[in-house]
Each structure stands twice: as structure tokens, then as C-alpha cells.
Amino acid sequence: MIEGKSTRSMFDDNKSILLSLLIFIFVSALLAMPFMFLPIESLSIYGKVSILTLIGLVLFMAVKYFIPSLIGVSRPGDVEDLKRFPFVSIIISVYNEEKVLPRTIESLLSLDYPKDRIEFIYVYQENCTDRSEEVILSYARSDSRVKPLKREMSSEDKVVVNPKADSMNYGLEHVKGEIIGFLDADHSLVRDAVQRAIYWLNKDEVACVRGRIRAINKGENFLAKLVGVERGIAECLSSYGTFLLGGFTHFPGGQGFFRREIFQEIGLFNHDMLVEDIDFSAKVHENGYEIVVDTGISSWEEVPATLSSLWEQRMRWSLGWMQCAIKHFIPTLKSKMSRSKQLDTLFCWSSTFLTVITTFCIPVIIINGFFYME
Amino acid sequence: MSYFDPFLHIFGIFCGVTPSVTIGLMLTCDYLEGEDFRWDEILCMPVFLPYLIGLSFISFTAFVAKFILRSRLSFIKTARSGYNEPVEV
């Protein structure tokens, strides 16, 4: 784990929030003023161009995510039965997951796949402070498919940005499967998930298969329901539509299957990246491979149910996407991707920063649309 | 009246209703695939747009933290699944 000054809640370290709020109010007010007091015709040509550019960006982003959502309403059908059952290793990184582990392990043990052709490697860190180890060991004693793997933490391991990436890499050193699955410790998979994934991975151009992630705790409160709905749209409609359109699809970290040789070819997960999954997805595409989205492979995860946890999760994602955008923008231009995928990927990198600009514009456009109707 | 021309005026409405439309799409598709219709998720429709604008604001804050304040934020996992905690490194 990272050693540093812990900020226990989003309100403890509020400098960036406060500054963002001030900038947001100031810039939004500046942008809104012409619409409140002046007819747009009276603006200078520069004013018109800047406002129309901002509006164009919002339009582009709305269309970029809305069109794939329309296309993503179709669902993949049944896949062919497998003729061969390759050995599958599923790696689950564990750090203080005592409460959710039984559910996850039970779901894996009931997967529809030959028992002698699959193993579940639970990589748990030595500094777990709850009963995670005990839970894993008790299942391992009763089922040989459950393999506990304790990860010792050196002083160097404790200062990496993303220890989960190291856990996944550590698990990779101990697998024997041809097909490697990664699962977060709170995920429960549908029974035919592995068979569906292998069907896709039999195609040479496919490096990774990912499915649809759904919220298991949406009944907890209204915020969890809202986050669950949003994740549902992003994971199911938008991602699947993007895949059908040949755009930039990504491995979501919580759930995905790979061919083992991919790691020998393009390397391991990078522990310096806040979102190791997006970084790895970019490398997959840059090397000319595909990431298939099959919404038939469902898994259920816990989504944030408090404002502070949602804030912290999305801060990590936003910072991570910005980190990836800076790292991968030029490699994307030089990559082996198809032209359309290259454009979509470049747009994804740009949109991490476009969101920052359009944040100011969205309220102005919508207020105008709704409240100034003739 | 609108200060925008008709196209941009309609676009404003489009931006406003798109998120709710996608919720409807997802619920309908899942229903057609044989799942129960999740009536409770319809309640999310009216507040989905402000929620998305809120998420954009988080991205903006991340930008301010990274590029203006130059803070070296990272995150550690808490004892609950899916929950992270920021730390300054």
C-alpha cells in the first residue's frame, strides 16, 4: 500500500474542490452572460466562434456516446459449443474482501466449465487486516480449484501507485492456463462466462474479451441505483455499440479474459498507472489486437453508495484517463490500428480533457433549451 | 424565447433528454431479452442529467488537482469492495 498522508474523506483535502468550484462559477457566469443579456447576433465574430466551438464539442460528445448506445441495443446471440476446453486460470486480487469473498468464490465454483480444466488463483496481500486469508484457505481446503497465493510486500511494493497491478502480475507468474481471466474480488460471474470468452478468444485477432458489469447493491440507496444505471448504460449500451462500430473498447479491470501469449508479447500491467486496465487496453489496440465486448458475459459488482466514495472513485478514474491520454496519444497515432479505431481512440484521449471544457457549457445549453422555449 | 438559433435550441433539448432516453433504451432492451422490467430505475430519469453534470465537475476537479495544483494524488483501497481512499504521495 502507498504510504502517505491519508485524506479520510473528500472534505479533508478540499483545496482542489474549492478552487474547481470557484473557477466553474466564474467561467460559467462569463459564458452565460452573453446569453442572458445579449442576442447572439450582437457578439463579435470571435465570440460567436468560441461559443459555437464549445457547443460543437458538446454536440460531438453527445453524439459520440448516444449513437453507440442506439446501436448497442442489439444483443449478442448464443455462441457455438466448444470443441476443446483449454485450461483456464482466473486471477482474483484480494485486499480486505472478507465480506464479499464467499459470494464471489461460490459463483466461480458454480461456473459451467470442466472442473479439471480451471483454477482460481486468489492473490492476497500479506497486509490484509481482515479475515480474507482465512476465508480463502477454508475454501481451498474443500475445493482444489481454489488456490491461495499470498503476496509478500517489500518496502518497494508499498510505494507503487497501483498495487493491484502488481498483484495481477504476481498472479500471472503462477498460472498454468492458456486462457487467463481477471476478476475483482467483489464480482460474481454468470455460469457460461468462461465458455463464451473462449469462443471469442479462439479468433487470432482477439486478445481480450470483456462483458457487462452490473450493480449488485443498487437496492442499497438511491445513489447506488443511479450509479448502477449509469454503469449499465456505459457498460452495456455504449461499450457494446462502440465495439460493433469498430471503436476503442477497453478492458474494465473488474472482469476480462485474455490469451496468455498476449502478456509475453505486449508486457504486463503497469503499476505506475492509476488505471492499469485502460493503459493495458491501449497497448492491446496499439499492437493491432481486438478487445471484444460480449454483453452475455455478465458479472455483478458493488458500486459506490456514498457521495465521498463516488467522488474518490471518479477522481481516480479521471486522473487515470488523463495519465493514459498523455502517455498514449502519440503511440496511438503511430499504431497499427484501423483508421476509424485510431480516430475513436484519439477522441477518447481528447475527451478526458474536452469534458473539462464542456463542463462549463452543458448547463448553459440545457438551460437555454428548456427555459427559453418560444 | 431562445438566444440560440432553432438548431441549437433543439440541440439543447436533445442534450437534456438524451441521458433519460438511454435509460429507457437499456430498460426496454433488457425487458425484451426476458428480464423483468426494472420500474424502480425509471426514477433515475429526472435526475440523471444533473448527475452526469456532477460527474463532469469531478473530472474538472481532477484536472485542477493534476495540472493547476500539481498535487500527486494516488489512491489506496479501503476495507470495502470498490471503495478507494485518496492519499498524497
Side-chain angles (χ1 to χ4, degrees):
Chain A
M1 286 291 97
I2 285 175
E3 288 172 338
K5 185 189 131 209
S6 173
T7 48
R8 289 281 157 200
S9 97
M10 61 187 262
F11 300 106
D12 285 351
D13 183 17
N14 53 16
K15 206 161 52 172
S16 53
I17 302 171
L18 191 65
L19 186 60
S20 306
L21 201 59
L22 288 173
I23 297 175
F24 178 72
I25 292 168
F26 181 69
V27 178
S28 296
L30 277 183
L31 279 171
M33 241 185 277
F35 300 107
M36 298 300 165
F37 302 113
L38 292 168
I40 197 164
E41 292 77 19
S42 70
L43 290 176
S44 71
I45 184 71
Y46 301 108
K48 278 181 186 171
V49 168
S50 3
I51 286 164
L52 289 177
T53 307
L54 282 173
I55 289 165
L57 286 176
V58 180
L59 175 64
F60 193 45
M61 290 183 79
V63 169
K64 159 75 179 78
Y65 294 106
F66 187 60
I67 289 179
S69 296
L70 283 177
I71 290 166
V73 297
S74 60
R75 298 293 159 95
D78 293 334
V79 297
E80 290 167 25
D81 290 339
L82 297 180
K83 294 181 179 69
R84 190 177 79 87
F85 292 92
F87 198 89
V88 177
S89 302
I90 297 184
I91 298 171
I92 304 104
S93 304
V94 176
Y95 175 71
N96 288 349
E97 306 280 3
E98 170 195 347
K99 287 179 186 158
V100 291
L101 272 174
R103 186 185 71 218
T104 315
I105 299 176
E106 296 288 348
S107 96
L108 289 178
L109 293 178
S110 63
L111 282 177
D112 188 11
Y113 201 74
K115 289 187 175 179
D116 57 338
R117 306 295 296 157
I118 195 163
E119 63 178 358
F120 309 114
I121 298 182
Y122 281 84
V123 185
Y124 60 96
Q125 297 179 4
E126 63 170 358
N127 56 350
C128 280
T129 53
D130 68 354
R131 289 176 53 254
S132 296
E133 180 178 25
E134 209 178 299
V135 174
I136 295 167
L137 291 177
S138 73
Y139 275 96
R141 279 192 286 272
S142 58
D143 196 308
S144 60
R145 288 174 292 172
V146 178
K147 302 203 168 140
L149 184 60
K150 187 172 188 169
R151 188 170 156 246
E152 310 288 331
M153 302 285 284
S154 68
S155 53
E156 285 174 7
D157 292 332
K158 289 176 182 172
V159 292
V160 300
V161 168
N162 187 345
K164 185 187 161 194
D166 279 345
S167 287
M168 291 157 87
N169 293 336
Y170 187 67
L172 274 170
E173 290 170 17
H174 295 82
V175 294
K176 55 178 184 177
E178 291 170 56
I179 304 293
I180 314 289
F182 289 98
L183 206 63
D184 274 357
D186 60 333
H187 277 242
S188 308
L189 275 173
V190 286
R191 293 191 72 226
D192 63 344
V194 177
Q195 299 212 32
R196 289 190 79 101
I198 292 171
Y199 166 78
W200 290 107
L201 289 169
N202 281 334
K203 300 171 195 298
D204 286 341
E205 71 279 13
V206 178
C208 169
V209 182
R210 54 149 304 177
R212 172 186 183 180
I213 298 173
R214 309 177 74 158
I216 201 167
N217 61 328
K218 66 175 186 150
E220 198 170 330
N221 57 34
F222 188 69
L223 181 66
K225 197 188 298 292
L226 204 54
V227 179
V229 167
E230 178 236 334
R231 296 309 305 144
I233 291 168
E235 293 289 331
C236 183
L237 297 183
S238 186
S239 287
Y240 186 51
T242 303
F243 165 64
L244 293 178
L245 287 169
F248 176 76
T249 49
H250 63 271
F251 158 56
Q255 176 231 74
F257 294 86
F258 295 83
R259 276 191 282 124
R260 184 178 185 162
E261 62 264 27
I262 292 301
F263 298 101
Q264 286 148 0
E265 194 179 329
I266 63 180
L268 300 173
F269 296 102
N270 187 341
H271 65 205
D272 290 326
M273 304 299 288
L274 280 168
V275 284
E276 80 292 339
D277 42 3
I278 307 300
D279 174 59
F280 195 79
S281 305
K283 287 201 280 185
V284 166
H285 287 295
E286 284 159 17
N287 281 274
Y289 289 105
E290 286 289 337
I291 296 177
V292 167
V293 179
D294 180 349
T295 52
I297 304 174
S298 286
S299 69
W300 281 261
E301 69 164 3
E302 290 203 17
V303 295
T306 62
L307 276 177
S308 60
S309 60
L310 178 65
W311 182 281
E312 281 144 17
Q313 183 195 57
R314 298 312 163 96
M315 276 290 276
R316 183 173 72 83
W317 290 3
S318 298
L319 289 165
W321 272 89
M322 286 174 195
Q323 202 182 13
C324 281
I326 293 166
K327 183 183 170 192
H328 288 284
F329 199 89
I330 302 295
T332 301
L333 284 170
K334 295 178 181 170
S335 71
K336 304 172 187 170
M337 296 178 205
S338 65
R339 194 60 68 194
S340 59
K341 185 185 282 185
Q342 204 170 34
L343 280 174
D344 189 50
T345 311
L346 290 173
F347 177 75
C348 283
W349 300 142
S350 314
S351 67
T352 58
F353 298 104
L354 292 181
T355 312
V356 174
I357 301 168
T358 52
T359 303
F360 301 116
C361 204
I362 293 168
V364 177
I365 295 171
I366 292 159
I367 288 167
N368 179 80
F370 278 119
F371 296 107
Y372 290 91
M373 291 184 188
E374 287 178 21
Chain B
M1 60 169 286
S2 171
Y3 287 115
F4 291 156
D5 65 21
F7 168 74
L8 293 175
H9 181 86
I10 291 164
F11 170 57
I13 299 170
F14 166 77
C15 283
V17 298
T18 298
S20 303
V21 170
T22 48
I23 292 181
L25 274 175
M26 186 180 64
L27 295 178
T28 310
C29 292
D30 286 344
Y31 177 68
L32 294 175
E33 287 292 308
E35 292 185 23
D36 290 337
F37 195 85
R38 301 189 294 276
W39 291 101
D40 55 327
E41 291 184 11
I42 286 182
L43 293 172
C44 297
M45 282 179 156
V47 291
F48 201 53
L49 181 67
Y51 166 77
L52 293 179
I53 293 173
L55 292 186
S56 305
F57 182 70
I58 300 177
S59 296
F60 176 66
T61 305
F63 180 85
V64 170
K66 187 174 174 72
F67 295 102
I68 299 178
L69 296 174
R70 302 270 171 191
S71 81
R72 296 190 61 213
L73 269 182
S74 193
F75 297 83
I76 58 169
K77 201 182 159 306
T78 64
R80 184 172 174 187
S81 290
Y83 281 54
N84 298 285
E85 186 177 286
V87 288
E88 191 99 33
V89 290

